[in-house]
Amino acid sequence: MKKASIFSLFIAMMLLLAVPFASASDNKFNDVKDAAWALDAINELSSKKIINGYYDNSFRPYNEVTRADAAVMIARALDLNTDDVEALLFKDVDSKHYAYNAISAVYEAGIMKGYNNNFDPEKALKRGEMAVLLTNAFDLETATKNTFKDVSKDHFAFDEINYLAAHNISIGYTDKTFKPENTTNRAEFAVLLSKALAVQNGEKLESETNADLIALLTEIQNNEINLESYEFNGNAEVSLTFPEIAFEGSEEDAEFAAEFMSLFENIRVHLTGAYVKDPMHLEMLMEVVINEEMGLALEMPVIMTEDAMYMKMGDLLGGSEDEKFIKMDLAELAGMSEQDAAALDMELQFELSKILNELMTKHLIDFYSEVDLSTVEIEHNPNAQKAIKFEVTNDSIESFVQILFEDIMPELLTLMQNPEYAAAFGLTAEDLALLVGQDFTIDFESKEFQELFAELRKALQINELSSHIVIDANNIALDHLMNADIVLTFEGESLGLKVNALLQKQKINEDVTFQFAIPADEDTISMDELYEFDEDFYYDEDFYDEDFDFELE
């Protein structure tokens, strides 16, 4: 493998850090990227001519739906006769009103009613009214129960709201509310109308699908790439504990093992940096302390622009070279191999990132929940409003593994059939052929698997495995928090891993400060110069210690 390909994964990760989530896919309307959670429904209904956009090619997804709008869309969805209609008696609907025929059609069909000889065509449709409308239009009556804490039994739409929940057309918000008095927007109405049509066509909507939480997570992801700028800082602590067997052997071997493994007892990482979207400029200063007592520390600044990446390796290069930035010309790297080119293709990385985020969110949504902000034990940004938690526990690990193999892995392998995606992951054609030839099917109900998993449950102790996203009122992520405390024990020997990490943003969409200037050429060394140094370093006979009982490859 070429040396340049070593950088592929690193570069791809940097690209994804710079622009973590991909933009919405191409669509008919020019303003729906912030409503990607509703894009499929909008496109579906638009293709069926049930819902239209505006003269300027916009959809205006967050505009309120009026009662007249709803009448038009329902009439189209049900293909009601709007040509030969009865004269309306509503005092507030003139015969020249754009929705006159549709209102007459839904009224005759018993789907919508008026109030005191008025229809209120321009009044915004409330969520409770929407539930009644959809129930009447699609005959959704079914056995149900009280699902929402803010919908009392004496509410006029109590039954209809719970009918929607029973069919999984709308399961409400993550706090177990439905908010029946809130108005309905165009994106929301498109999603629910699309689902009602699916139920009418005999489709059973999956009860596991938490549409509102998926919508929220998708919005958070889309908001991330639309950020113009921000500063960030973060801290991480990583520690490994090793089994006693690792220290066995001679006294000298045990001392060496203890000294070596002490390097992993408390690794600390501190990050600071800034990001600007256009023109793209990312700066990150990473400070790593491996063993404070031994003085093992590394400070590595990284700068990335649209054309190049610059990084310093601290004292790792020795001599005066550590005073210079290593410059990696992105266009030059892109020509070195198919894998490197894919890693540097921004549009491809955006596209792949979007697909992966949708894949993981869709299948792992049951592991997410909205939690009280006070349960996230960090110093919060004053603008923090709510928190989303992802968690895997001892009780849910079996379900997590099953979803991984049964749902995610097959879709991921199908995704890798696209040579560009495979290359972006650093996979060659040979790697891909090997993966595709493997059978990842597992019979989770088999006796063999149940016995194997029973042993794993005995060996694995998940004290904590969770992450949190803290967001503001605009659903912009302010804080990312990750905690892991896992112990694996076999035959009395335990291996432990602890991770605590926090990344926080400040000055979102404001002017930011960069600590480093983009290096001039005289302050950099090229990749070719680095390779020459690399070869001299590793093939210098003085590098090998005669006391080493192993060879470096």
Side-chain angles (χ1 to χ4, degrees), residues 155-180:
H155 191 281
F156 77 91
F158 174 83
D159 288 333
E160 290 83 356
I161 289 171
N162 285 292
Y163 293 153
L164 296 190
H167 287 290
N168 297 301
I169 293 172
S170 176
I171 58 174
Y173 294 88
T174 55
D175 60 356
K176 307 301 182 185
T177 64
F178 186 80
K179 299 180 173 51

Side-chain angles (χ1 to χ4, degrees), residues 272-291:
T272 55
Y275 165 75
V276 169
K277 180 181 180 181
D278 188 19
M280 204 279 279
H281 186 178
L282 171 70
E283 173 185 286
M284 179 174 67
L285 177 61
M286 181 166 61
E287 300 169 273
V288 182
V289 178
I290 300 174
N291 187 306

